[in-house]
C-alpha cells in the first residue's frame, strides 16, 4: 500500500512539473490520462425545467463540465429597423466557484467570448423565430433574456453553453398576451380574462363593459426546434484531441470549435487564437467529428423532451 501511494505521489508530482511530457506519454499510445481514446468525446446529459421561477431552463453536463441556462421574458418596445421582431439577449457567466482559475470581479474574456459566440450560433442556426416574439408591431415585443451559468468548468464550456441555451429556449413557451385600446399589456391569465368585449356585473348588479382587446397573441413556442451542436477539438503536436477537459485545454496548441445544425450543415467554425494554425485537413476532421457528435447530443435532447 505504501509503495502504491508513493508511486501515485510521484506520478502527480511528475504531471505537475512536466505536464507536456506526462501528457505525451499517453498520447503516443493513442490514449489520454482519463482513459478516453483521442477521438472520443465525453458523455452528455440534458435536463429541462430545472428552474421553476424561469420561463424556460435547462441543465447540461458534458463529463464534469456543467452549464445551467435560464430564460426570462420581458415586454419591450421593438427597434425601428425591425418593428415586428422580438430580440434575444445572451449572457454567459463564469462564477468564481466554477474553477480554480476564475476570479471575482469584472467579466472575464472567456465569458465575454462565449456570450458573443452563443448569440451568433443561435442567430445563424435560426433557433429562435423573431416573428413569434412580436406582440403588436411597432409597439410591443418580447425580449428573451437568456442567462447561462457555468457551474463546473472542466473544459469545452462553449459546447455546454450552446446546448444548454438551446434546451432552455426549447423549454420556454410564450404566454398569451393581449393589448387593450389604452395600450395596456396583459400577460397570462389576465390576458385570457380580459380578452374580448364581454359584459360583467358589478356588486350593484349593473352591467359594465370591459375594455375591448385589440391584439391577442396566442401561446406558442419560442424555438423553431432546430438544435445546433457544438464540438471543440484541440490540436496537440499534430494530433487531434476531441472534447478536451480543462487540464488538456491548457496544453493544447490551439482549439477549433465546429457548430452544426440538425442536418449536419456547418453553422460556424471558431478558432479563438492559439499558437498553431489549423490546416484545411485538420478542420475537415473537426467538422467530421462534430457531425458524428450531433446524434449523441440529439438523443440526449430528445430524451429530455420526450
Amino acid at each position: 500500500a505504501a509503495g502504491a501511494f508513493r508511486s501515485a505521489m510521484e506520478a502527480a508530482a511528475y504531471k505537475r512539473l512536466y505536464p507536456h511530457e506526462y501528457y505525451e506519454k499517453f498520447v503516443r499510445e493513442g490514449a489520454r490520462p482519463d482513459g478516453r481514446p483521442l477521438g472520443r468525446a465525453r458523455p452528455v446529459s440534458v435536463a429541462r425545467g430545472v428552474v421553476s421561477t424561469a420561463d424556460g431552463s435547462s441543465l447540461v453536463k458534458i463529463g464534469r463540465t456543467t452549464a445551467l441556462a435560464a430564460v426570462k421574458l420581458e415586454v419591450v418596445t421593438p427597434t425601428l429597423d425591425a418593428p415586428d421582431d422580438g430580440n434575444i439577449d445572451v449572457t454567459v457567466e463564469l462564477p468564481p466557484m466554477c474553477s480554480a482559475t476564475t476570479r471575482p470581479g469584472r467579466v472575464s474574456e472567456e465569458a465575454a467570448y462565449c456570450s458573443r459566440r452563443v448569440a451568433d450560433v443561435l442567430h445563424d442556426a435560426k433557433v429562435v423565430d423573431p416573428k413569434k416574439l412580436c406582440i403588436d408591431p411597432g409597439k410591443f415585443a418580447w425580449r428573451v433574456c437568456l442567462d447561462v451559468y457555468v457551474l463546473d468548468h472542466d473544459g469545452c464550456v462553449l459546447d455546454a453553453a450552446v446546448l444548454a441555451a438551446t434546451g432552455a429556449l426549447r423549454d420556454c413557451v410564450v404566454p398569451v398576451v393581449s393589448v387593450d385600446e389604452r395600450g395596456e399589456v396583459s400577460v397570462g391569465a389576465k390576458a385570457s380574462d380580459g380578452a374580448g368585449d364581454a359584459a360583467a356585473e358589478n356588486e350593484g348588479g349593473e352591467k359594465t363593459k370591459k375594455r375591448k382587446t385589440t391584439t391577442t397573441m396566442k401561446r406558442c413556442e419560442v424555438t423553431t426546434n432546430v438544435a445546433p451542436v457544438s464540438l471543440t477539438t484541440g490540436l496537440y503536436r499534430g494530433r487531434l484531441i476531441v472534447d478536451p477537459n480543462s487540464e488538456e485545454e491548457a496544453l493544447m496548441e490551439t482549439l477549433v470549435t465546429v457548430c452544426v445544425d440538425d442536418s449536419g450543415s456547418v453553422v460556424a467554425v471558431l478558432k479563438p487564437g492559439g499558437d498553431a494554425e489549423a490546416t484545411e485537413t485538420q478542420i475537415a476532421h473537426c467538422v467530421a467529428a462534430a457531425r458524428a457528435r450531433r446524434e449523441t447530443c440529439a438523443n440526449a435532447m430528445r430524451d429530455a423532451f420526450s
Side-chain angles (χ1 to χ4, degrees):
F5 178 76
R6 189 181 305 110
S7 298
M9 291 294 292
E10 290 175 353
Y14 183 77
K15 175 182 177 182
R16 186 176 183 84
L17 294 173
Y18 308 102
H20 284 282
E21 290 77 2
Y22 176 84
Y23 192 68
E24 179 69 23
K25 287 180 179 291
F26 289 91
V27 172
R28 271 198 244 108
E29 301 297 326
R32 295 147 82 168
D34 61 4
R36 287 184 291 156
L38 303 184
R40 179 180 297 174
R42 294 170 291 179
V44 58
S45 64
V46 180
R48 63 177 294 193
V50 293
V51 181
S52 60
T53 55
D55 294 305
S57 59
S58 174
L59 180 71
V60 167
K61 291 179 67 69
I62 300 178
R64 284 176 46 196
T65 299
T66 307
L68 171 67
V71 172
K72 291 295 287 184
L73 298 173
E74 297 178 355
V75 177
V76 297
T77 302
T79 58
L80 295 177
D81 56 344
D84 56 348
D85 290 356
N87 59 77
I88 177 171
D89 290 337
V90 180
T91 303
V92 178
E93 296 189 18
L94 275 67
M97 67 178 181
C98 74
S99 74
T101 59
T102 306
R103 295 289 181 266
R106 69 177 190 176
V107 178
S108 65
E109 292 184 7
E110 185 177 14
Y113 172 80
C114 288
S115 298
R116 293 193 303 269
R117 295 299 171 248
V118 171
D120 291 342
V121 169
L122 296 177
H123 177 269
D124 294 343
K126 297 180 173 58
V127 174
V128 175
D129 183 0
K131 303 297 182 185
K132 290 185 176 181
L133 301 177
C134 178
I135 300 173
D136 194 356
K139 297 181 180 179
F140 300 103
W142 287 111
R143 173 190 290 154
V144 179
C145 300
L146 174 59
D147 295 315
V148 181
Y149 300 91
V150 178
L151 304 181
D152 194 342
H153 187 335
D154 191 31
C156 299
V157 166
L158 181 58
D159 300 342
V162 168
L163 196 59
T166 303
L169 290 170
R170 181 173 290 190
D171 187 51
C172 179
V173 177
V174 177
V176 177
V177 177
S178 64
V179 182
D180 63 29
E181 291 177 332
R182 300 200 313 192
E184 294 182 358
V185 180
S186 300
V187 181
K190 293 181 180 180
S192 300
D193 295 340
D197 195 6
E201 291 187 359
N202 58 20
E203 293 181 358
E206 297 178 355
K207 289 188 177 182
T208 60
K209 205 174 187 180
K210 292 184 179 180
R211 295 192 301 270
K212 183 180 179 181
T213 299
T214 58
T215 303
T216 301
M217 181 179 179
K218 294 182 179 179
R219 188 173 184 267
C220 66
E221 295 181 351
V222 172
T223 65
T224 58
N225 289 326
V226 176
V229 171
S230 170
L231 179 67
T232 299
T233 303
L235 275 64
Y236 183 78
R237 297 182 178 178
R239 301 179 179 88
L240 296 179
I241 311 297
V242 173
D243 188 26
N245 59 30
S246 58
E247 291 183 351
E248 292 175 318
E249 278 189 344
L251 301 176
M252 296 296 111
E253 297 166 352
T254 191
L255 297 170
V256 176
T257 301
V258 177
C259 301
V260 297
D261 61 15
D262 293 344
S263 64
S265 300
V266 176
V267 176
V269 177
L270 311 171
K271 183 181 177 296
D275 299 329
E277 293 184 359
T279 65
E280 291 184 6
T281 301
Q282 290 172 329
I283 292 177
H285 285 305
C286 294
V287 172
R291 286 171 173 162
R293 177 68 160 171
R294 180 182 61 83
E295 188 62 29
T296 300
C297 294
N299 289 337
M301 189 73 74
R302 194 177 303 116
D303 291 342
F305 286 84
S306 59

